[in-house]
Amino acid sequence: GDSVTQTEGLVTLTKGLPVMLNCTYQTTYSPFLFWYVQHLNEAPKLLLKSSTDNKRTEHQGFYATLHKSSSSFHLQKSSVQLSDSALYFCALSELGSFNKLTFGAGTRLAVCP
Amino acid sequence: GGIITQTPKFLIGQEGQKLTLKCQQNFNHDTMYWYRQDSGKGLRLIYYSITENDLQKGDLSEGYDASREKKSSFSLTVTSAQKNEMAVFLCASSISQFSNERLFFGHGTKLSVL
C-alpha cells in the first residue's frame, strides 16, 4: 500500500536559518502530495500541494518540488521565523481517485530566538 | 469562510465505556472524515462519508462506529474505550471526494481513558 516517510521527528533551529523537512513516499499510482501544518492547539491546515513533476510550489515563504524520480516532496524555507514552530505533516493521495490521504508521522519544527 | 466545530474538546472516559464525538461544518461540504492522531504516527483515517447517510470505513475503523444523518454533521462513536488510551480525534471536510481537494480540519477532541 501507499506510505509516506518523514525521517525527522524533531528539528530544532535558530531563527533566520534555512530548513528542509524531508518527505519521501511510496505508491504505485500517480501521486498528489500535500504539506499540512499544525500549530500548537490549532487545527491542521494546508500549506502546499502538488501533482506536477519538477515544478516548485510556494506558499507563505515555504516551497517544495515534487520529484517523481526520487519519490520526494521536501519542504523548504530559506529563513525560519519563530512563528514557524509547528508540526508539519506530509501527505499522499492518488491522483484521480478518492481523497484518502496517507499521512507521514510528522516533523515538529522548533525555532529558537 | 466556514468552520468545523468539534465537541467536546476534551473527553475523559472509563474502560469499556461507549463514547460519542460530534462534528459540525458550515462549509456545505459533501465529504467528511474522522482521523485519529497519535503522537509519532501521523493521522489515520477511521471513517469517511461522501454525502448524507453515506458511510465508508477507513484503515482504522475497528472499534468505531460513525453516523452522518445530516450533511453538516458527522459523529464518531468509540464502541468500547480501551484502558490508558490517549489520542486526538480530528474531524475534517472537503468540497468533494476527489484527491486534489484540500481538507479543512477541526481543532480536535482529545480523548483520555482511565
Side-chain angles (χ1 to χ4, degrees), chain A residues 43-96:
Chain A
K45 58 183 179 183
L46 180 68
L47 183 59
L48 294 171
K49 65 177 183 178
S50 180
S51 62
T52 306
D53 199 12
N54 298 319
K55 182 180 177 183
R56 176 164 152 161
T57 183
E58 300 188 38
H59 185 62
Q60 295 182 336
F62 286 91
Y63 59 94
T65 303
L66 176 60
H67 292 297
K68 293 184 181 180
S69 60
S70 58
S71 299
S72 66
F73 190 57
H74 305 319
L75 182 67
Q76 297 180 259
K77 190 175 187 184
S78 57
S79 174
V80 293
Q81 304 303 309
L82 295 176
S83 58
D84 294 328
S85 294
L87 188 55
Y88 292 81
F89 291 103
C90 184
L92 165 71
S93 183
E94 296 167 10
L95 190 63

Side-chain angles (χ1 to χ4, degrees), chain A residues 32 34 36 38 41-46 49 87 89 93-106, chain B residues 31 33 35 37 40-43 45 48 50 58-59 90 94 96-107:
Chain A
F32 209 115
F34 303 79
Y36 280 83
Q38 184 179 27
N41 298 322
E42 294 290 318
K45 58 183 179 183
L46 180 68
K49 65 177 183 178
L87 188 55
F89 291 103
S93 183
E94 296 167 10
L95 190 63
S97 75
F98 166 68
N99 196 4
K100 180 184 171 185
L101 291 175
T102 299
F103 284 84
Chain B
T31 308
Y33 313 77
Y35 280 90
Q37 181 177 14
K41 290 186 180 178
L43 280 63
L45 183 63
Y48 62 96
I50 295 171
D59 294 331
L90 291 168
S94 62
S96 76
Q97 60 179 305
F98 296 109
S99 59
N100 60 334
E101 296 292 348
R102 64 180 288 183
L103 266 61
F104 293 82
F105 285 90
H107 282 67

